[in-house]
Each structure stands twice: as C-alpha cells, then as structure tokens.
Amino acid sequence: MLGDVRLRGQTGVPAERRGSYPFIDFRLLNNTTHSGEIGTRRKVKRLLSFQRYFHASRLLRGIIPQAPLHLLDEDYLGQARHMLSKVGMWDFDIFLFDRLTNGNSLVTLLCHLFNTHGLIHHFKLDMVTLHRFLVMVQEDYHGQNPYHNAVHAADVTQAMHCYLKEPKLASFLTPLDIMLGLLAAAAHDVDHPGVNQPFLIKTNHHLANLYQNMSVLENHHWRSTIGMLRESRLLAHLPKEMTQDIEQQLGSLILATDINRQNEFLTRLKAHLHNKDLRLEDAQDRHFMLQIALKCADICNPCRIWEMSKQWSERVCEEFYRQGDLEQKFELEISPLCNQQKDSIPSIQIGFMTYIVEPLFREWARFTGNSALSEIMLSHLAHNKAQWKSLLSKQHRRKGADHDGPGTESEEQTVAEGDAP
C-alpha cells in the first residue's frame, strides 16, 4: 500500500489514486509562482513520509543536502546568543530570534536546548549528525504557510522547554522524557500542507486514504519524523529496542496534538486531578503529562503577550482564509472558520480561547499548583480575550446595530469543531 503513493502534485499518479479532485495541486496553496529549476527542486525535495520511511537517500535522489545559512553579522550573532540565555522566559520573542538567526530559529534553538539539557552527552549524540537531522526537519516545514511553518515549530519547542521546567514536573523527568518532549515539539507539524484534515478528506487526498481519515496530518507528521530520524541515523548507535520505543513514544506524543482528541485528553486530565492519582514516578503517567504539555505548547499563542499573540492569530487566520479561497475556487463547500467574508479574526479567536484554550490551561494550572508561569499565561489569556472582544465590538459598531455580523456564540463555538488556530 505504501509503495503505491507518489510525490505530492506528481502528474503521473492515476486519477483513481488522486481521488475526486485530481486537478488540485497543493502548489497552489503557496500563493507564489515557482518556475524552472527552483520549482522542480522544491517539488522533488518535498517527499512524503512513506518515502522517508523507506530510507530514501538524499544523495540517491540527486539532491545535495544544503547547510543552513549562517552568514550573519557578529552583532546579530551576539544578540541571538543573548536571547538564548533567556530562552526559558515566557516573553521570548521567537519572531525576533528567527530574524537574528537568518531563518534558522528551529535548528539553532534545538541545538542549544539539547546541549543545555545534557542530551548530547547523555545519549552520546554526534553533533554534526544532530545538526543535519534538525536541518532536515526545518527544511521539511513549508515556509509559504503563514502559520504552520518552522517558526511555529520553534515557538512550540520554546514553550515546551518552559513547561519541562515546571517544578511539579521537572524533578521526575528523565533525559529520555526531555528528549522526546523537545523532538515531538520540533517535529509535530512537519510537512504540514497548510490545509486541515477535513479538506484532505473531502478531496480524497491520498494521505486521507492512507491513514483512513484518522488523525491524517498527525500520522503524517509522525511518519515523516521517523523517516528523517532513520535517514539521518541520529539514533543508529542506540540499542534497537530503545530506538523502537523512542519512535513509538514520539508517535504517541505527536498524535495527541490532534484537535479532535481534545475532549478525550481534557477529560482524562480532569479525572486524574480530581482523583489525585497522578504518579509521576510512573513512566506511563509522565508520558501522559508530556502529551498534555505538548498540547498546551501547540495552542499557547493566546497565552503569549498581546503583540506576539495577535501576530500568531493573524497568521493562522490567513492560512484558514487561503484554504477557504482554494475551496471556493474549486467549488467546494467552504470549511468552518475559512470564509473571510463571514469569519472575522476576533470572532475566531474568542471562540478558540473560550472553547479550546481556557479549559485546557485551567487544568494545566491546577496540575502545576498555580505556578508563576501558569498565572502569567492565564493573565495574558484573559487580557488577550478582552482585546479581541473590544476589537469585535468596534467591528459591530462599524457595521451598524441592525447588521448580524460575526461573533455570535454559535459561530464562536464552531471553533471547537474545526481546526485549532
């Protein structure tokens, strides 16, 4: 089954394999024109997970691995190093850090965190191989996506680092737990196409068929990550049983980010906290809390300071709107939250905060014993929600009292049924 699936956008795929919409080429999502050699290289370079899963060598594919650019002024390097000294602070500006590292925020951040946590020494990792693997991960994110790109992955990784330092959790974590948490955060959205699962399903995309419409994107992110781990041979020196365990645990962590499983994890967390039966000495309970931490990190944008939170909100809505434009272009039903004419950014964000973010972060605060970081995040969340409500109110006033504009409770609640901003 795996061997039958081809490159994304490959014209040689039979119509029956491409589903009901063989004319949809995901290159359209990029909103940019690529021609000649550049377009061909990018198309070939974007391989799907199963091809990495079969250990396809980049050299055999005729592609010379490219090292990231580090042609930076010493002042920029100095500022980046200074920022890394404060990487555990919640007001860490990932957008500035990405500029200072010339677009290499994910690679630079992970190398630093692996060193800071002693993972390179503990697992006897080769630094060159680690760097090569991280470059592969960073390159497999689509820079054309306004939201699901390598900067988002770096932001989630920085948040995960902060959560791993929470006193209620930190004292129980093993080096393996920390490495799994950081790797899962870095790779949790790798090769994201910029559209959500319902879009892939209704266009009969081969990934939806491959994963039988179940956690389609998350399965793809996981398999892509495993393929890159194997191709890079980062963990090849470790015992086979250990690498198999790492691969499975990475899958469990990444699959937990599926927004459709939100209630499942929230219900379990509430039950554990109510029964006071979490035993973090137990590897199974630690893994569950790593899943919760990754879920929090993945949707923590509303808990950042307003300037950064607003920018992330605008980016994710732009990605939604692009999907809606694509659906409209091909006469498909426009997905919830993707209609720019009906779904305003403030209404989307208010619904997202109310039905997704607040319930999860209230329980996380209970788990941490209302730690200083939890209080900061909840404070930002409340402030940001008030800001969006104020902006929504201004929109309504402009449209007039008689106009039924966006922002009703029923519309906001659709966030709980759609993709997570």
Side-chain angles (χ1 to χ4, degrees):
M1 178 179 176
L2 293 178
D4 292 337
V5 190
R6 316 285 181 87
L7 287 172
R8 172 175 49 249
Q10 184 174 338
T11 56
V13 181
E16 65 270 19
R17 291 292 296 133
R18 286 179 277 163
S20 302
Y21 298 92
F23 48 82
I24 293 182
D25 187 335
F26 280 102
R27 285 171 294 175
L28 293 172
L29 296 175
N30 294 341
N31 256 0
T32 55
T33 302
H34 302 295
S35 60
E37 182 183 358
I38 295 177
T40 302
R41 283 173 58 195
R42 289 192 178 183
K43 183 170 64 177
V44 173
K45 201 171 182 181
R46 295 278 183 216
L47 296 180
L48 297 178
S49 57
F50 30 80
Q51 289 166 310
R52 288 201 180 282
Y53 206 53
F54 284 139
H55 313 286
S57 165
R58 291 195 162 202
L59 293 177
L60 290 177
R61 295 200 303 271
I63 300 174
I64 301 175
Q66 296 180 348
L69 293 175
H70 288 295
L71 305 177
L72 299 179
D73 186 277
E74 276 300 318
D75 289 339
Y76 280 83
L77 288 172
Q79 291 179 61
R81 281 193 292 266
H82 178 69
M83 286 193 70
L84 284 175
S85 70
K86 299 183 178 182
V87 71
M89 304 295 291
W90 190 245
D91 60 356
F92 189 86
D93 188 340
I94 198 65
F95 296 114
L96 174 59
F97 185 69
D98 192 63
R99 292 193 295 272
L100 292 176
T101 57
N102 198 32
N104 288 286
S105 55
L106 186 59
V107 172
T108 308
L109 180 66
L110 260 296
C111 285
H112 175 77
L113 292 179
F114 264 63
N115 185 52
T116 299
H117 287 285
L119 302 177
I120 297 172
H121 174 75
H122 182 86
F123 291 102
K124 296 179 172 58
L125 301 177
D126 179 75
M127 194 62 198
V128 174
T129 305
L130 173 63
H131 188 270
R132 183 167 62 244
F133 165 72
L134 295 176
V135 169
M136 290 167 66
V137 172
Q138 182 173 271
E139 287 184 346
D140 253 20
Y141 278 94
H142 299 203
Q144 299 87 353
N145 290 345
Y147 184 83
H148 289 104
N149 52 42
V151 184
H152 165 65
D155 184 62
V156 172
T157 302
Q158 189 270 337
M160 189 65 164
H161 168 65
C162 292
Y163 299 157
L164 294 177
K165 297 197 322 173
E166 283 282 17
K168 288 276 186 174
L169 186 60
S171 60
F172 296 97
L173 295 176
T174 67
L176 180 59
D177 295 327
I178 296 171
M179 184 170 73
L180 285 167
L182 294 176
L183 285 178
H188 79 284
D189 271 333
V190 74
D191 200 30
H192 196 294
V195 293
N196 60 17
Q197 175 172 293
F199 181 92
L200 298 179
I201 291 174
K202 68 184 176 184
T203 56
N204 285 325
H205 192 272
H206 51 253
L207 284 179
N209 295 327
L210 178 64
Y211 297 117
Q212 300 179 334
N213 300 343
M214 296 292 293
S215 298
V216 175
L217 287 169
E218 292 74 24
N219 269 299
H220 178 56
H221 305 323
W222 169 36
R223 295 295 181 179
S224 297
T225 303
I226 300 310
M228 287 184 282
L229 271 175
R230 293 181 177 183
E231 181 181 337
S232 69
R233 297 185 60 79
L234 176 65
L235 307 178
H237 61 290
L238 300 178
K240 183 178 180 180
E241 296 77 12
M242 186 177 187
T243 58
Q244 288 177 339
D245 178 57
I246 289 173
E247 290 178 359
Q248 291 304 310
Q249 289 201 61
L250 279 175
S252 178
L253 288 169
I254 293 173
L255 289 173
T257 63
D258 185 349
I259 198 65
N260 294 311
R261 301 180 65 191
Q262 189 77 1
N263 287 336
E264 169 196 337
F265 281 95
L266 188 58
T267 300
R268 284 178 58 191
L269 179 58
K270 285 181 177 179
H272 278 305
L273 296 176
H274 176 75
N275 298 328
K276 299 180 179 179
D277 60 359
L278 273 175
R279 300 291 179 265
L280 295 180
E281 301 88 348
D282 185 344
Q284 186 174 357
D285 282 0
R286 283 201 311 277
H287 183 78
F288 173 69
M289 289 314 303
L290 284 177
Q291 289 176 311
I292 297 296
L294 181 57
K295 289 179 70 64
C296 288
D298 191 26
I299 63 171
C300 74
N301 299 151
C303 300
R304 299 285 193 178
I305 61 173
W306 169 246
E307 291 76 16
M308 283 195 288
S309 180
K310 182 173 181 286
Q311 188 171 167
W312 282 121
S313 299
E314 292 168 346
R315 284 169 173 257
V316 75
C317 289
E318 172 61 23
E319 195 165 297
F320 288 169
Y321 297 152
R322 286 189 187 183
Q323 176 177 322
D325 291 344
L326 191 65
E327 290 167 330
Q328 185 175 37
K329 179 175 182 177
F330 293 110
E331 299 180 350
L332 302 172
E333 181 182 358
I334 298 180
S335 299
L337 313 179
C338 296
N339 190 331
Q340 190 167 4
Q341 305 306 314
K342 297 180 179 179
D343 305 311
S344 69
I345 297 178
S347 65
I348 291 173
Q349 291 306 309
I350 293 168
F352 179 52
M353 293 177 179
T354 302
Y355 298 103
I356 303 295
V357 182
E358 286 178 349
L360 181 60
F361 276 85
R362 278 199 300 265
E363 299 307 315
W364 176 259
R366 284 180 61 197
F367 165 72
T368 64
N370 294 310
S371 68
L373 176 57
S374 289
E375 290 188 357
I376 290 172
M377 291 192 298
L378 290 176
S379 175
H380 288 331
L381 179 59
H383 172 74
N384 294 340
K385 186 175 180 180
Q387 290 283 87
W388 286 119
K389 285 186 173 182
S390 175
L391 290 173
L392 185 62
S393 179
K394 290 178 182 178
Q395 284 185 356
H396 284 175
R397 286 198 298 271
R398 282 198 301 266
K399 291 182 178 180
D402 298 339
H403 191 274
D404 292 327
T408 63
E409 182 176 341
S410 59
E411 179 184 318
E412 291 166 5
Q413 196 160 8
T414 62
V415 176
E417 301 166 0
D419 199 13

